Amino acid sequence: MAAAALCWALRAARQVLPSSCPRQVRSYYVDWRMLRDVKRRKMAYEYADERLRINAIRKNSILPKELQEVADKEIAALPRDSCPVRIRNRCVLTSRPRGVKRRWRLSRIVFRHFADHAQMSGVQRAMW
Amino acid sequence: MAVRGKYRPRRELQRQQNCPSTVQWMLFTVGELGQAGQFHMESSKQKLFSTSSVLSKDKDKSTAFKDSPPEGAAKKQEDGAETPKQQLLDIIGNMKVEVSYRKKLQQLKASENKKQAMNKVEGLDSEGSVPQGITEDTQRDKPLNPELVKAASAVASSLPHNKKQIESELLAQLRRHEETTDKQKKGGTINIRNVISEMTVKRQSPAQWGVRISGRISLQDEDGRRIRPERSSARSMDSRRSLKVGRRLNIFTKASTEPEHALKTVSSPTIWDLEFAKEVAAVTAQPPRNGFEEMIQWTKEGILWEFPIDNEVGMEDDAEFYEHIFLEKHLEGFPKEGPIRHFMELVICGLSKNPYLSVKQKVEHIEWFQKYFEEKKELLQEI
């Protein structure tokens, strides 16, 4: 959910902060897929508790099976975007879905670009 | 004097405090007037007058200090006896508790004085209900102002109960006031108490004064101009003393600012106020001159954490450990036997080992399950 937090921060940054020194503020998401990903993350956060509890009823060997079947149906009835499985960890700057390093939330190309310009703290070209 | 009906034993007027605005004085006068403990209405009326005298002190400035209250009261009463009365009644309503206690004390004293007063009774022109305990002094140096007398009679006539008696009591009050003023003019012994109370104010030694003055001098001028700041400082010290020293007059009631604040908070967030605030913030917020100021700004905004890092920022869990672990008391809504109970006990076991949730969240968790199982009750009963 780290990328989600970052994206939310970006959206929040759309509001102009009451400070005199202007900062570079990104006012748009990179593309629509990124926006959809943001929506999915939001919904997953909202429904997380409920999903956890219904799953606890489902993945159970104590409760009767009828109850578990009912729980199955309930969880299927929840909105599709609420499941965390649909979230894709995209690159934060380019929205690339593949080749994203989790620690930096950046795709490999962007990462290489910044590392070569010495803008990644503690990152060095490997040589051994 | 026109009316000399009532005679009273002369009280030690030295007991009277010199600030008529104090409650003590008022109560004392009340006690004096309400000697005969039988009729309370009279004494309440006298209370009214004494408080009116207290309040209308500011109106009269020509006569002496003591004379001013009754005169002012008289004048006020002449104009319109209703509005001051209402004010007085309000004030008395607040002060009634003290007054009643005082009254009892005075009544006790009155019973003692009655026996003395029995000897001094002269021709009474009062009604039969008035006891003979009330007496007055015949010794008088000055006759009262005819205006005061007229005013007293007018006041007495305006009131419903026992007009003559009220009038006589008022006049007795006035006489007593005049006597005290005469005493003051002659330099009587009344002021000792106030003087002593004033003496408790701190007095700085001249050495300290010298230190202060020298300190001031170092700021202003260094050569030759020592005399002026000394004098001015001395004068300012005296004036300061005279301003702050002294008993409270209790003329002004503290304006309660709470309702104003409440109103302000309700009506304050107008758009223009917000805009103005934003403008002010934008103007006053200068760009950071260096990295430190930048970091300060970031900390204020929340971008940068506060160091040393507090791991529990934002977590305000005031619950004790036993509230986290012993969650069985929340299981009261569940059946005591059966698979559901088994399931919930497992849930509780898991929650007790969870350090990341607050007690509130755990309780919500359990309540959700309770609601869920209640909805599914019919289904469960079929099984």
Side-chain angles (χ1 to χ4, degrees):
Chain A
M1 305 294 250
L6 201 75
C7 288
W8 292 338
L10 283 170
R11 195 188 279 184
R14 281 178 190 173
Q15 304 165 13
V16 177
L17 298 167
S19 63
S20 63
C21 48
R23 284 197 206 105
Q24 273 193 341
V25 175
R26 181 173 296 221
S27 26
Y28 301 100
Y29 289 111
V30 178
D31 52 8
W32 289 94
R33 284 172 287 177
M34 198 191 227
L35 184 75
R36 275 183 270 146
D37 195 56
V38 165
K39 279 195 226 166
R40 279 178 207 129
R41 283 167 192 268
K42 239 193 196 174
M43 279 204 91
Y45 180 81
E46 284 171 35
Y47 285 91
D49 292 336
E50 229 179 287
R51 285 191 98 96
L52 173 76
R53 287 155 190 168
I54 296 171
N55 269 328
I57 293 171
R58 282 173 67 220
K59 314 286 179 180
N60 219 332
S61 53
I62 305 162
L63 295 173
K65 285 191 181 173
E66 291 83 358
L67 196 64
Q68 286 172 1
E69 283 165 19
V70 169
D72 285 341
K73 286 175 197 168
E74 267 191 26
I75 204 168
L78 288 176
R80 214 164 255 197
D81 273 351
S82 64
C83 59
V85 186
R86 294 185 116 222
I87 294 171
R88 182 79 197 189
N89 289 329
R90 288 178 163 271
C91 170
V92 163
L93 294 180
T94 55
S95 177
R96 198 162 193 274
R98 293 191 176 98
V100 180
K101 287 311 272 178
R102 234 187 196 212
R103 185 173 166 183
W104 296 275
R105 304 178 190 173
L106 293 175
S107 83
R108 54 180 179 82
I109 305 155
V110 178
F111 174 80
R112 229 178 87 97
H113 178 267
F114 284 137
D116 286 341
H117 287 80
Q119 283 163 6
M120 297 296 277
S121 170
V123 175
Q124 197 188 14
R125 271 187 166 265
M127 193 159 45
W128 72 98
Chain B
M1 281 307 304
V3 179
R4 293 212 175 188
K6 304 286 165 290
Y7 297 96
R8 272 174 221 176
R10 188 164 188 154
R11 283 291 180 84
E12 303 139 33
L13 289 161
Q14 293 162 4
R15 252 197 276 160
Q16 267 188 6
Q17 308 296 330
N18 272 336
C19 308
S21 54
T22 54
V23 175
Q24 282 179 351
W25 176 84
M26 196 195 70
L27 295 168
F28 184 72
T29 52
V30 162
E32 282 186 44
L33 295 165
Q35 275 180 31
Q38 292 174 13
F39 51 105
H40 303 273
M41 288 306 294
E42 254 58 48
S43 54
S44 68
K45 293 294 178 301
Q46 300 311 319
K47 281 183 234 168
L48 282 171
F49 289 124
S50 48
T51 47
S52 74
S53 64
V54 163
L55 288 173
S56 57
K57 198 181 68 158
D58 51 347
K59 280 208 171 183
D60 212 5
K61 293 162 194 172
S62 58
T63 57
F65 194 53
K66 284 285 182 180
D67 281 342
S68 58
E71 277 191 10
K75 283 181 188 171
K76 238 190 180 177
Q77 296 287 348
E78 283 176 7
D79 300 333
E82 291 179 354
T83 47
K85 244 195 238 177
Q86 284 167 3
Q87 295 168 7
L88 296 167
L89 284 165
D90 294 336
I91 290 158
I92 283 156
N94 299 332
M95 295 199 277
K96 249 182 188 166
V97 177
E98 300 174 53
V99 164
S100 59
Y101 176 64
R102 264 282 182 163
K103 217 176 34 172
K104 284 176 198 168
L105 289 174
Q106 303 297 345
Q107 283 166 17
L108 284 171
K109 287 172 194 167
S111 59
E112 293 172 6
N113 287 320
K114 258 192 204 177
K115 295 163 195 171
Q116 302 172 14
M118 286 298 282
N119 305 325
K120 291 190 187 178
V121 168
E122 293 189 9
L124 300 171
D125 56 346
S126 65
E127 301 73 6
S129 65
V130 176
Q132 309 103 3
I134 295 165
T135 59
E136 281 176 350
D137 273 323
T138 48
Q139 309 164 11
R140 242 150 234 111
D141 300 328
K142 260 198 247 179
L144 283 175
N145 265 336
E147 293 176 4
L148 285 176
V149 173
K150 280 185 206 168
S153 57
V155 162
S157 60
S158 68
L159 288 173
H161 301 269
N162 287 336
K163 293 175 189 178
K164 284 186 184 172
Q165 208 222 333
I166 290 163
E167 202 183 358
S168 57
E169 285 177 356
L170 266 179
L171 292 168
Q173 272 268 286
L174 297 174
R175 272 175 227 130
R176 234 173 283 121
H177 292 321
E178 285 201 276
E179 283 159 3
T180 54
T181 50
D182 291 342
K183 268 199 176 179
Q184 275 187 334
K185 281 174 189 170
K186 293 168 193 171
T189 55
I190 307 169
N191 294 327
I192 289 173
R193 277 197 187 177
N194 280 348
V195 172
I196 291 164
S197 66
E198 283 184 13
M199 293 284 280
T200 56
V201 175
K202 268 189 191 172
R203 296 197 119 223
Q204 285 177 344
S205 61
Q208 289 180 1
W209 281 348
V211 167
R212 272 200 176 182
I213 290 159
S214 62
R216 276 173 210 163
I217 287 166
S218 63
L219 292 168
Q220 293 171 5
D221 297 327
E222 291 178 18
D223 301 323
R225 290 194 182 183
R226 270 201 179 184
I227 303 165
R228 272 185 207 173
E230 268 184 7
R231 283 183 193 163
S232 62
S233 65
R235 278 174 211 159
S236 61
M237 295 285 279
D238 289 336
S239 63
R240 256 180 257 153
R241 264 195 70 237
S242 63
L243 281 172
K244 292 181 185 174
V245 157
R247 204 166 285 135
R248 281 212 143 180
L249 298 176
N250 286 333
I251 300 172
F252 305 106
T253 53
K254 221 179 186 181
S256 57
T257 52
E258 287 171 15
E260 292 177 17
H261 281 306
L263 289 169
K264 275 180 190 173
T265 50
V266 165
S267 63
S268 65
T270 60
I271 299 168
W272 304 116
D273 288 340
L274 293 169
E275 276 297 316
F276 183 65
K278 277 186 197 170
E279 270 186 54
V280 167
V283 166
T284 53
Q286 299 297 319
R289 295 175 296 178
N290 49 34
F292 291 115
E293 290 195 9
E294 199 182 27
M295 284 203 277
I296 291 167
Q297 205 170 12
W298 284 347
T299 312
K300 281 183 197 167
E301 288 172 19
I303 297 166
L304 200 61
W305 286 350
E306 286 178 17
F307 297 97
I309 289 176
D310 182 17
N311 276 325
E312 290 169 13
V313 172
M315 277 171 55
E316 287 175 11
D317 210 5
D318 302 327
E320 301 286 323
F321 70 95
Y322 46 82
E323 287 173 47
H324 276 97
I325 293 168
F326 302 115
L327 299 161
E328 278 171 7
K329 59 183 176 184
H330 301 293
L331 276 190
E332 285 165 14
F334 294 96
K336 292 200 178 179
E337 285 179 351
I340 292 177
R341 182 79 184 194
H342 187 31
F343 173 73
M344 287 313 297
E345 278 171 9
L346 289 173
V347 165
I348 276 172
C349 177
L351 282 177
S352 68
K353 294 179 190 174
N354 188 336
Y356 301 107
L357 295 178
S358 67
V359 174
K360 213 180 167 189
Q361 285 170 324
K362 290 180 185 177
V363 168
E364 275 173 18
H365 198 85
I366 295 166
E367 281 172 6
W368 184 92
F369 274 115
Q370 195 170 6
K371 229 181 8 174
Y372 182 81
F373 286 128
E374 273 179 24
E375 285 171 15
K376 310 293 168 189
K377 246 188 186 177
E378 302 157 358
L379 186 77
L380 291 168
Q381 278 158 9
E382 286 171 24
I383 303 162

